[in-house]
Amino acid sequence: MNMISITKAAKVGLAAFSLAANVSIPAHATSDTLTVVVTDEPKSLDPCDTDLSGNSRILRNNITETLVNLSPIDGTVTPSLATDWRQVDDLTWEFKLREKVTFHDGKPFDANAVAAALKRAQDPALACEVGLATLKGVKLSPEVVNPTTIIIRTDVIEPILPNKMAALDIGSPDMPNDAKTRAPIGTGPFKLLKWLPGQSVALQAYDGYWSDKPSIKNATVIWRAESAVRAAMVETGEAQIAYEIAPQDGTSDHDHAFPNAETSLLRIDQDVAPLNDRRVREALNLAIDRDGLIGTIFHENAEKAMQVVTPSVFGYNPDIPAWTYDPEKAKSLLEAARADGVPVDKEIVIYGRIGIYPNSSESLEAIQAMLADAGFNARLEMLETSPWLKKLLKPWAKDRQPSILQTQIDNTEGDAVFTLPNRFTSDGNTSSIVDPKLDTIISDASKATGDERKRLFQEAFKYIAVDAVNIVPLFHMVTIARVASDVNYTPDVQAGNEIKLKSVSYR
């Protein structure tokens, strides 16, 4: 398949979906209700599953809260349900807890609730996302000192344990311990009113909230896959905030573009031929015209990625070169692999996720054409969230077809440890690489501090992108939110994971 100019093709193909640049945003119906439209339905509303952004944006700091928060400005640790913390020794941390806080069911928040949440998150039978990702590789043993003091002991040195506690949402200990829940009970400014599967999640302000009460009393979160539909819902007054607006739709004064801490990429399943040959993986990267995708399918302010974290993350390696577009070299690498008996003509499936970001399908259609032009036999399959998650998460079928997976990795926590272990160690829940050398680098970096920690993480990122070529990095992303003219709300870098309803008000 011959490639035409991606800039021209994208502009022509996307123009049909564009909204008018000057839209009229009508007034809201009532001053105490708000409707937010997102891309897809949450997979779970269990407090231990907030490592998935679709779950987190409804739960985090709305229904449930964590011991600490991370500043969206500089990633520093700030108090939430914990007011103070200190490191007692290499393996021991002490947290002082906020007093006079209650769960939505009226039960008191205390050290026993924190201990229960920690044990629940690490229960292998529950397979909590936070346990499989953020808390992976460390065993946390809580000790209740008194209702407002908890000791957390680790089995390995964990120099940034407070940062990790920003990922542990605390639910009521009265929730089931032997199963996931669809009815979370937290301490946040909103309580769950109703989850109508396939339709909406309704939240109601919690009168007993310990801090400043939200201005909005009733909030509804709905989901629509199409960017143009989400944008139009704000235009017509059906919603007041819409996330993930595509560049061609986000042309009004009510559209706010901002970096969202996400890095888009294609994960390579390098265990399956022909992707088990490094030359084939290198050819994948050389075949993609990233410059042609910027400003057409991706936002004009998106930046080409060299690795899977943004420059603000501790451990980012500034010395990894971005891939150049060289389809002729890609063809020669495939020919060399073919000559050595590698089955380069075997069909490779590109698994995409509908609505993972604006123009997600269009981006893969363009990439599929680029790969075909370089000599790959690539087929595109777009999936809804649930079947896509089955491709993302282990276990995978042994007889699976060779594939690359469209995904995004976000890091709002500010340290590379929140990205690397689950995604790039041999036993990582989403890792498609098995490499003892890389395992050692990541393990050593996770225990280190200061300059040595940074050096080792930078080495890991280089190993993944340059030595192993386990990924096809695409872009550090920019996203757009449309906000009604009578709504006070400014999205920040955490907006992809947190809606932060408490910060929203009407003018």
Side-chain angles (χ1 to χ4, degrees):
M1 178 176 182
N2 294 324
M3 279 296 294
I4 62 172
S5 164
I6 183 61
T7 301
K8 179 180 178 181
K11 286 181 177 178
V12 171
L14 298 177
F17 298 102
S18 297
L19 293 177
N22 297 312
V23 298
S24 174
I25 306 294
H28 56 276
T30 61
S31 60
D32 62 351
T33 63
L34 184 86
T35 298
V36 179
V37 57
V38 298
T39 55
D40 53 358
E41 185 171 11
K43 175 191 177 188
S44 160
L45 286 183
D46 193 289
C48 77
D49 277 343
T50 51
D51 260 65
L52 294 178
S53 58
N55 306 334
S56 175
R57 62 191 173 201
I58 294 177
L59 285 165
R60 177 72 51 80
N61 286 320
N62 291 323
I63 298 174
T64 52
E65 297 176 299
T66 54
L67 292 182
V68 298
N69 284 319
L70 299 177
S71 167
I73 299 173
D74 58 10
T76 55
V77 184
T78 62
S80 182
L81 292 177
T83 57
D84 195 17
W85 50 91
R86 68 186 181 97
Q87 188 169 15
V88 179
D89 57 46
D90 284 349
L91 301 178
T92 308
W93 289 80
E94 178 188 79
F95 290 82
K96 294 291 186 179
L97 306 182
R98 193 174 297 279
E99 298 182 43
K100 299 180 181 179
V101 176
T102 60
F103 288 100
H104 301 153
D105 58 3
K107 302 293 177 58
F109 163 77
D110 57 18
N112 286 312
V114 179
L118 270 172
K119 292 176 181 177
R120 194 171 184 274
Q122 297 178 103
D123 184 349
L126 286 181
C128 292
E129 294 297 335
V130 68
L132 295 170
T134 301
L135 303 183
K136 179 182 181 295
V138 57
K139 181 181 179 182
L140 304 177
S141 301
E143 176 189 331
V144 174
V145 178
N146 57 53
T148 60
T149 306
I150 188 166
I151 295 288
I152 299 177
R153 305 186 194 279
T154 64
D155 61 335
V156 296
I157 296 175
E158 184 51 85
I160 60 167
L161 183 66
N163 300 64
K164 288 197 169 186
M165 290 300 96
L168 180 71
D169 286 63
I170 311 296
S172 170
D174 284 351
M175 292 191 311
N177 290 318
D178 57 353
K180 297 285 184 71
T181 182
R182 294 178 62 88
I185 302 170
T187 60
F190 290 87
K191 59 184 179 180
L192 178 68
L193 193 61
K194 185 179 293 185
W195 179 5
L196 294 175
Q199 298 182 45
S200 62
V201 173
L203 308 178
Q204 185 179 69
Y206 174 47
D207 291 336
Y209 184 56
W210 59 269
S211 186
D212 296 335
K213 306 297 191 294
S215 297
I216 304 299
K217 301 303 180 185
N218 298 281
T220 302
V221 180
I222 60 178
W223 38 90
R224 299 291 184 271
E226 299 83 6
S227 164
V229 171
R230 293 193 297 275
M233 291 182 73
V234 179
E235 180 185 0
T236 61
E238 294 177 79
Q240 285 70 52
I241 300 174
Y243 290 97
E244 298 287 354
I245 303 301
Q248 71 273 11
D249 301 324
T251 56
S252 80
D253 293 339
H254 306 290
D255 297 307
H256 305 269
F258 57 96
N260 66 358
E262 298 269 13
T263 300
S264 60
L265 66 144
L266 304 176
R267 186 194 66 187
I268 304 172
D269 185 353
Q270 68 178 65
D271 278 348
V272 184
L275 299 175
N276 58 353
D277 190 288
R278 186 188 184 281
R279 293 167 295 186
V280 176
R281 302 196 298 273
E282 183 177 350
L284 283 172
N285 277 284
L286 293 169
I288 296 175
D289 181 8
R290 293 167 177 81
D291 289 318
L293 293 170
I294 293 177
T296 55
I297 291 177
F298 290 86
H299 195 277
E300 62 184 0
N301 293 331
E303 297 182 2
K304 286 189 290 185
M306 302 180 290
Q307 56 211 282
V308 297
V309 294
T310 61
S312 63
V313 172
F314 185 85
Y316 174 87
N317 190 334
D319 299 322
I320 301 175
W323 287 97
T324 57
Y325 175 48
D326 194 340
E328 294 307 313
K329 185 176 179 181
K331 292 177 183 178
S332 67
L333 286 169
L334 290 181
E335 286 303 318
R338 179 182 286 109
D340 289 338
V342 178
V344 297
D345 296 320
K346 192 173 182 180
E347 182 184 73
I348 297 172
V349 183
I350 309 171
Y351 291 117
R353 180 183 136 195
I354 297 170
I356 189 172
Y357 47 73
N359 301 330
S360 57
S361 298
E362 291 85 350
S363 70
L364 291 189
E365 289 168 3
I367 288 172
Q368 178 190 22
M370 293 173 186
L371 295 180
D373 196 43
F376 283 95
N377 177 16
R379 174 174 64 85
L380 174 60
E381 187 173 335
M382 296 301 299
L383 303 172
E384 297 288 352
T385 300
S386 291
W388 175 85
L389 284 169
K390 292 181 180 178
K391 303 296 183 183
L392 174 70
L393 304 171
K394 292 179 179 175
W396 302 314
K398 291 183 178 180
D399 59 348
R400 63 191 182 275
Q401 193 168 351
S403 67
I404 53 179
L405 180 81
Q406 177 188 48
T407 187
Q408 287 197 119
I409 294 177
D410 76 290
N411 188 321
T412 58
E413 296 87 356
D415 190 278
V417 76
F418 294 97
T419 294
L420 288 170
N422 185 49
R423 296 176 177 91
F424 296 103
T425 55
S426 298
D427 62 347
N429 193 39
T430 66
S431 175
S432 62
I433 183 171
V434 176
D435 193 312
K437 179 179 179 180
L438 180 59
D439 292 346
T440 299
I441 297 171
I442 294 174
S443 177
D444 290 348
S446 301
K447 301 171 187 175
T449 59
D451 291 342
E452 179 67 2
R453 185 181 183 89
K454 178 185 286 186
R455 183 189 68 79
L456 288 168
F457 277 140
Q458 289 179 339
E459 182 180 346
F461 284 124
K462 177 181 179 294
Y463 193 91
I464 292 163
V466 178
D467 299 329
V469 194
N470 177 246
I471 57 172
V472 180
L474 295 175
F475 303 104
H476 301 311
M477 300 289 278
V478 170
T479 193
I480 299 172
R482 175 166 288 187
V483 181
S485 59
D486 57 351
V487 170
N488 290 309
Y489 171 67
T490 302
D492 59 31
V493 70
Q494 296 172 340
N497 291 329
E498 295 185 35
I499 295 179
K500 296 183 178 177
L501 291 168
K502 183 184 170 185
S503 70
V504 181
S505 64
Y506 283 106
R507 301 183 194 281

